[in-house]
Amino acid sequence: MRKVRWAVVGTSSFALDWIARGIKLGSNAELAAIVSRDAARGAAAAERVGAPHSYTSIDEIDKSVVDGVFLVLPTTQHAPYAIAAARRGLHVISEKPMAPTVADCRQMIEAARANGVLLAVAQCMEWTAPMVKARELLASGAIGEVVSASISASFTARPDGRWKFEDMVRSGAGALIDMGVHAVDAITRLLGPVRRVSALVGSRFPEYAGDVSATLLLEFASGVHGTLQAHYTCYQNGLEIHGTRGRIWSSAWWGREFAGDLHMQRGEEVVDFDLPTVNVYVPQIEHVSDCVLRGVEPVISGERGLANIAVIEAALASARSGCAVEVAAGAA
């Protein structure tokens, strides 16, 4: 069986302990290299994770041993690195969020198309057991027609005195674009595109500043109503979807290597589903590698990543203006 050979660009603990490990566990993927601007750091990281090669730049990568790159970098670096890799004929997986702006996302997509390479965005929660089961239930009509939904993705972060709203947005940082993008991606995967959004962004705590607390009111193209929350000041991991015949809910829908939970109620009947433990990075790399081998578009495509950023851009614009904002046409 042919394997797709990946270079991980970045040497953070997350890049090495989760992304590199996920690649090594993938049945159709191979960890070929580590890329770091610091040659010594890159070589040490490659030795640590068992990658046979290390490079200091995209241009230095030997294409005879590497087929694609997995970008685990600051958000502002996703577009320039993705474009550089595409121009070299390398397939690209970009960590989420795809980029700070829709304009950056479009440039990444155009570069991939122009050079005939695959572009994916690492929306890994596509493969959590609760999300897989929730999609199955909704597709079967188990709770009837969906009426409303709520989703949250938050964790507690230490306050940073350097945070300012404008700087965080410009750098692609903040609770909404960091954790909220997982929630945006998950709920739109379940319920379809968002048409309009109203948002509050800020913090009640004086030691925090910028986009550390976000609450969104969503109107989906289908007419479904929804709410979404993302914070750096509490822990949240909730999903609830109400339909005309019942509801499904989870108190642990996102995670890295976990089973989570999912429940369904119809009338007086409550079902608690037995879910498998999944390391989300393994099916993610296997899916993208399979798409490379077959020459087909991945489910976590660049267009999907762009659509997520379009919702976030609209939410940030709404928070500034105090008005509901339409999501950019053609972004979903």
Side-chain angles (χ1 to χ4, degrees):
M1 177 183 183
R2 188 188 161 203
K3 294 187 176 185
V4 180
R5 301 164 300 178
W6 295 98
V8 173
V9 184
T11 56
S12 65
S13 295
F14 173 67
L16 302 180
D17 296 340
W18 292 100
I19 300 304
R21 175 175 167 237
I23 293 170
K24 293 190 73 172
L25 291 172
S27 61
N28 57 358
E30 179 181 322
L31 180 63
I34 298 294
V35 180
S36 171
R37 290 178 299 178
D38 184 318
R41 183 179 177 88
E47 182 178 5
R48 172 181 158 186
V49 297
H53 306 282
S54 64
Y55 305 103
T56 59
S57 69
I58 296 294
D59 288 338
E60 190 182 290
I61 290 174
D62 181 354
K63 288 182 58 184
S64 71
V65 297
V66 174
D67 301 307
V69 296
F70 199 130
L71 306 179
V72 193
L73 298 166
T75 306
T76 53
Q77 298 303 304
H78 290 175
Y81 272 79
I83 292 166
R87 287 174 175 168
R88 289 215 60 213
L90 294 164
H91 302 290
V92 178
I93 306 174
S94 171
E95 255 306 324
K96 64 84 206 164
M98 184 174 178
T101 69
V102 167
D104 292 328
C105 295
R106 287 202 175 104
Q107 290 178 12
M108 295 166 70
I109 292 169
E110 290 166 4
R113 287 176 179 166
N115 292 280
V117 298
L118 177 148
L119 172 64
V121 180
Q123 294 291 173
C124 56
M125 302 310 164
E126 166 78 14
W127 288 277
T128 72
M131 293 303 297
V132 171
K133 187 63 179 180
R135 290 198 299 271
E136 175 190 315
L137 292 171
L138 292 176
S140 71
I143 61 169
E145 295 293 325
V146 175
V147 176
S148 67
S150 63
I151 191 166
S152 59
S154 307
F155 68 93
T156 303
R158 293 179 180 178
D160 188 330
R162 298 169 298 175
W163 286 348
K164 295 180 180 178
F165 184 83
E166 295 81 4
D167 293 341
M168 291 176 79
V169 172
R170 191 179 302 115
S171 64
L176 181 55
I177 200 167
D178 178 20
M179 285 302 292
V181 74
H182 277 311
V184 170
D185 184 78
I187 204 64
T188 53
R189 179 77 165 104
L190 293 173
L191 302 180
V194 173
R195 177 165 54 210
R196 184 168 57 170
V197 58
S198 299
L200 297 173
V201 174
S203 175
R204 60 169 294 213
F205 301 106
E207 64 269 30
Y208 289 86
D211 169 21
V212 296
S213 193
T215 300
L216 280 55
L217 179 64
L218 307 173
E219 180 187 353
F220 292 84
S222 63
V224 171
H225 293 177
T227 59
L228 183 151
Q229 291 192 313
H231 306 282
Y232 276 163
T233 51
C234 63
Y235 178 83
Q236 291 177 304
N237 193 346
L239 168 71
E240 186 163 9
I241 301 175
H242 288 263
T244 53
R245 294 178 52 211
R247 67 182 178 120
I248 57 176
W249 74 96
S250 173
S251 59
W253 69 267
W254 62 262
R256 290 177 173 174
E257 190 168 10
F258 78 124
D261 66 74
L262 192 72
H263 318 276
M264 179 173 67
Q265 181 175 14
R266 293 188 294 191
E268 298 297 320
E269 178 192 21
V270 176
V271 179
D272 302 316
F273 295 101
D274 185 19
L275 302 176
T277 296
V278 178
N279 176 333
V280 296
Y281 304 107
V282 177
Q284 174 177 256
I285 198 65
E286 289 181 334
H287 170 73
V288 178
S289 297
D290 179 62
C291 290
V292 168
L293 294 171
R294 294 192 296 121
V296 299
E297 189 84 349
V299 67
I300 49 172
S301 65
E303 287 78 5
R304 176 167 162 181
L306 182 151
N308 294 335
I309 300 302
V311 172
I312 291 169
E313 275 196 355
L316 293 172
S318 171
R320 292 189 188 97
S321 68
C323 301
V325 173
E326 300 285 330
V327 176

